[in-house]
Amino acid sequence: MPLSQTEENYLKAVYKIAESDQGSVSTNAIAKMMSTSAASVTDMIKRLSEKGYVDYVKYYGVELTTLGKTAATILIRKHRLWETFLVSQLDFSWEEVHDIAEQLEHIQSKELIERLDKYLGFPKFDPHGDPIPNTEGKFTLRNQTILADMAIGEQGQVIAVKIHDTPFLQHLNQIGIQINTPLRIVSKQDYDQSTTVLVEDSEILLSHKVASQILLKKTS
Amino acid sequence: MPLSQTEENYLKAVYKIAESDQGSVSTNAIAKMMSTSAASVTDMIKRLSEKGYVDYVKYYGVELTTLGKTAATILIRKHRLWETFLVSQLDFSWEEVHDIAEQLEHIQSKELIERLDKYLGFPKFDPHGDPIPNTEGKFTLRNQTILADMAIGEQGQVIAVKIHDTPFLQHLNQIGIQINTPLRIVSKQDYDQSTTVLVEDSEILLSHKVASQILLKKTS
DNA sequence: TAATATTTTTAGATTAGCCTAAAAATATCT
DNA sequence: AGATATTTTTAGGCTAATCTAAAAATATTA
């Protein structure tokens, strides 16, 4: 019994929430991420629990089983490979690909995804800098720092961004930030936690909200 | 209000039936093609009729409106472009691609399909020899003859096959028939309507069932 | 044309996924 | 601890798409 698209999306949501927060995942968090009601989440989680994809304790929360983790990782592998295809082969830009990949990730064919991987040259990272899990679900870990956590004077190179929606990425395009952009922390404002960075000889002010979504590899 | 995947599949089925038979399409024919019950077809056809995609007369039959025809043609365009991608870029063979393309054709992105078309070099025919409709739904018509209708002594070159399921195409692979294969009609057996053809210096017996699925361009 | 067979539609039920409103459980605050 | 607020679950209903069984319409055939 294969998973429905909806079931797959729930698993991915649980995976993503568990990735940032730790411990078990709350009904409300899932509802928020899926833009649906808490009642619907309870329904679905029960179903996924019966099928063995999650461990569920009423009023407490949800955790992925090994089975659920594998399913979620495969989905993420597919999503990131398709995003890579769209950008590297079809010349889409990084802010355009999320929604299309969201559909493509549900295509059911193991063979297809292996051939796509090969076709793309077994890429390790997608256009947003996220690691692409291999067939076994393992992916490359990198030494990365959140921009907002860096100290004045430190330098780094952008290696990934944590959110992928079009408006956010368009904003980054506008201020000249993309994957591999080198930058230096010029100053940090305490009162609103904003950060000023030097990008290509110009100083840019980043709100805390933005600065905490950008991941860097320190270069000094 | 976009069409659901199921609605799209019904429109495609009606289109394909109307293509071979002529006049209006019967409930039973649709049910057969969709492997579903006649009752389900009646339900769905009513819905598509309300939405303006088909003209429906109870107990008589169904016809696509202009709107329905456009929707079906776009779906076929997408299907055939994806099949072309799978074969020409990912090295799938012609008998492996139908089911995957059946899923890919439902991906909703006009931009994606236009870029894919360009990426593939605006192909005019898919791996089964079927014409790929352009953005407006127009496609190249060719002078083609059904193998079963050819006379003894006539020669031709395979340009397309009418069905695409794996077992049929595997059978063609086995007897050495693919797109562009040249052949000559050696003899025709009246009692079972089978045809013997010369392919690459060997005589092959084709049942009527098989011979009526192969389309040729006459070369003599 | 009347009887029979076939096709199509209707009626009524089922499942997945969603909703709102109310009830139950847990958390927080004084 | 008791009152209040928040979170989560339950209850009941809705829609899309499906099914089977029965009824209605059309086609066929003696």
Side-chain angles (χ1 to χ4, degrees):
Chain A
M1 44 192 153
L3 291 161
S4 73
Q5 291 202 186
T6 312
E7 289 170 328
E8 287 190 335
N9 286 335
Y10 271 93
L11 289 180
K12 201 174 59 163
V14 175
Y15 184 94
K16 280 183 179 291
I17 296 164
E19 209 177 25
S20 45
D21 312 16
Q22 66 275 40
S24 79
V25 172
S26 76
T27 303
N28 256 7
I30 300 170
K32 202 173 195 177
M33 173 137 304
M34 304 283 300
S35 305
T36 188
S37 71
S40 300
V41 173
T42 303
D43 271 8
M44 178 56 91
I45 288 303
K46 272 185 194 164
R47 204 132 24 93
L48 289 172
S49 170
E50 270 158 36
K51 293 190 179 184
Y53 290 92
V54 299
D55 290 327
Y56 169 51
V57 181
K58 263 193 196 178
Y59 288 105
Y60 173 68
V62 134
E63 262 176 88
L64 291 175
T65 61
T66 306
L67 187 67
K69 230 171 278 174
T70 303
T73 313
I74 288 173
L75 208 63
I76 287 168
R77 167 171 165 75
K78 295 201 279 182
H79 183 98
R80 292 181 182 168
L81 281 172
W82 279 116
E83 283 198 342
T84 305
F85 170 73
L86 294 172
V87 170
S88 72
Q89 306 302 307
L90 300 193
D91 292 323
F92 279 97
S93 52
W94 72 341
E95 77 272 15
E96 299 174 305
V97 296
H98 183 76
D99 293 350
I100 302 176
E102 206 76 358
Q103 299 176 63
L104 285 165
E105 72 190 8
H106 297 292
I107 302 294
Q108 297 295 348
S109 168
K110 216 179 141 0
E111 186 63 24
L112 170 60
I113 214 67
E114 298 320 314
R115 291 198 186 214
L116 185 65
D117 194 12
K118 184 180 179 187
Y119 184 69
L120 299 171
F122 304 107
K124 295 280 158 291
F125 302 98
D126 77 9
H128 305 108
D130 294 313
I132 299 173
N134 67 14
T135 322
E136 284 90 44
K138 307 277 174 223
F139 48 80
T140 309
L141 282 176
R142 292 186 291 184
N143 255 349
Q144 55 190 29
T145 315
I146 296 167
L147 196 159
D149 294 343
M150 287 172 71
I152 295 170
E154 286 189 307
Q155 288 181 242
Q157 217 177 351
V158 175
I159 57 173
V161 295
K162 289 167 83 177
I163 53 179
H164 308 136
D165 61 291
T166 309
F168 175 69
L169 295 172
Q170 278 175 341
H171 176 239
L172 293 189
N173 288 344
Q174 257 170 16
I175 62 183
I177 286 182
Q178 47 189 276
I179 301 293
N180 292 327
T181 302
L183 46 77
R184 185 167 73 227
I185 312 298
V186 172
S187 64
K188 301 183 73 172
Q189 288 71 48
D190 260 8
Y191 69 97
D192 65 351
Q193 302 190 69
S194 65
T195 306
T196 306
V197 296
L198 195 69
V199 181
E200 301 249 6
D201 299 326
S202 51
E203 291 193 357
I204 307 277
L205 181 73
L206 302 177
S207 67
H208 181 72
K209 189 175 163 174
V210 168
S212 54
Q213 299 305 137
I214 300 174
L215 300 176
L216 296 129
K217 179 181 65 183
K218 285 189 198 170
T219 54
S220 76
Chain B
M1 44 191 152
L3 291 162
S4 74
Q5 291 202 185
T6 311
E7 289 172 325
E8 286 191 334
N9 286 335
Y10 271 93
L11 288 180
K12 201 174 60 162
V14 175
Y15 184 94
K16 281 184 177 292
I17 297 165
E19 209 178 24
S20 45
D21 313 14
Q22 65 274 37
S24 80
V25 172
S26 77
T27 303
N28 256 7
I30 300 169
K32 202 172 195 178
M33 172 138 304
M34 304 283 301
S35 305
T36 189
S37 70
S40 301
V41 173
T42 303
D43 271 10
M44 178 56 93
I45 289 304
K46 272 185 194 162
R47 204 131 24 93
L48 289 172
S49 169
E50 270 158 36
K51 292 189 178 184
Y53 290 92
V54 299
D55 289 328
Y56 170 52
V57 181
K58 263 194 197 177
Y59 288 103
Y60 172 67
V62 134
E63 261 175 89
L64 291 174
T65 61
T66 306
L67 187 66
K69 228 170 279 174
T70 303
T73 312
I74 287 172
L75 208 63
I76 287 167
R77 167 171 165 77
K78 295 201 279 180
H79 183 97
R80 293 181 180 167
L81 281 172
W82 279 117
E83 283 198 342
T84 304
F85 169 73
L86 294 173
V87 169
S88 73
Q89 306 307 124
L90 300 192
D91 293 323
F92 280 97
S93 53
W94 70 343
E95 77 272 16
E96 299 175 305
V97 296
H98 184 76
D99 292 350
I100 303 176
E102 206 77 355
Q103 299 176 62
L104 285 165
E105 73 190 7
H106 297 292
I107 301 294
Q108 298 294 350
S109 168
K110 214 179 145 355
E111 185 64 23
L112 171 61
I113 215 65
E114 298 320 314
R115 290 197 186 213
L116 186 65
D117 195 13
K118 185 180 178 187
Y119 184 70
L120 299 172
F122 305 106
K124 295 280 159 291
F125 302 97
D126 77 10
H128 305 107
D130 294 313
I132 299 174
N134 67 15
T135 322
E136 285 91 44
K138 306 278 175 222
F139 47 82
T140 309
L141 283 176
R142 293 187 289 186
N143 255 349
Q144 56 190 26
T145 315
I146 295 168
L147 197 159
D149 294 344
M150 287 172 70
I152 295 169
E154 286 189 307
Q155 288 181 241
Q157 217 178 350
V158 176
I159 57 173
V161 294
K162 288 167 84 177
I163 54 180
H164 308 136
D165 62 293
T166 309
F168 175 69
L169 295 173
Q170 277 174 343
H171 176 238
L172 293 188
N173 288 344
Q174 256 169 18
I175 61 182
I177 287 181
Q178 48 190 273
I179 300 293
N180 292 326
T181 301
L183 47 77
R184 184 167 72 227
I185 312 297
V186 172
S187 65
K188 301 184 75 173
Q189 288 70 47
D190 259 8
Y191 69 97
D192 67 350
Q193 301 191 71
S194 64
T195 306
T196 305
V197 298
L198 195 68
V199 181
E200 299 251 4
D201 299 324
S202 51
E203 290 194 358
I204 307 277
L205 180 72
L206 302 177
S207 68
H208 181 70
K209 189 174 162 174
V210 168
S212 54
Q213 299 306 135
I214 300 174
L215 300 177
L216 296 133
K217 180 181 65 185
K218 287 189 197 171
T219 55
S220 76

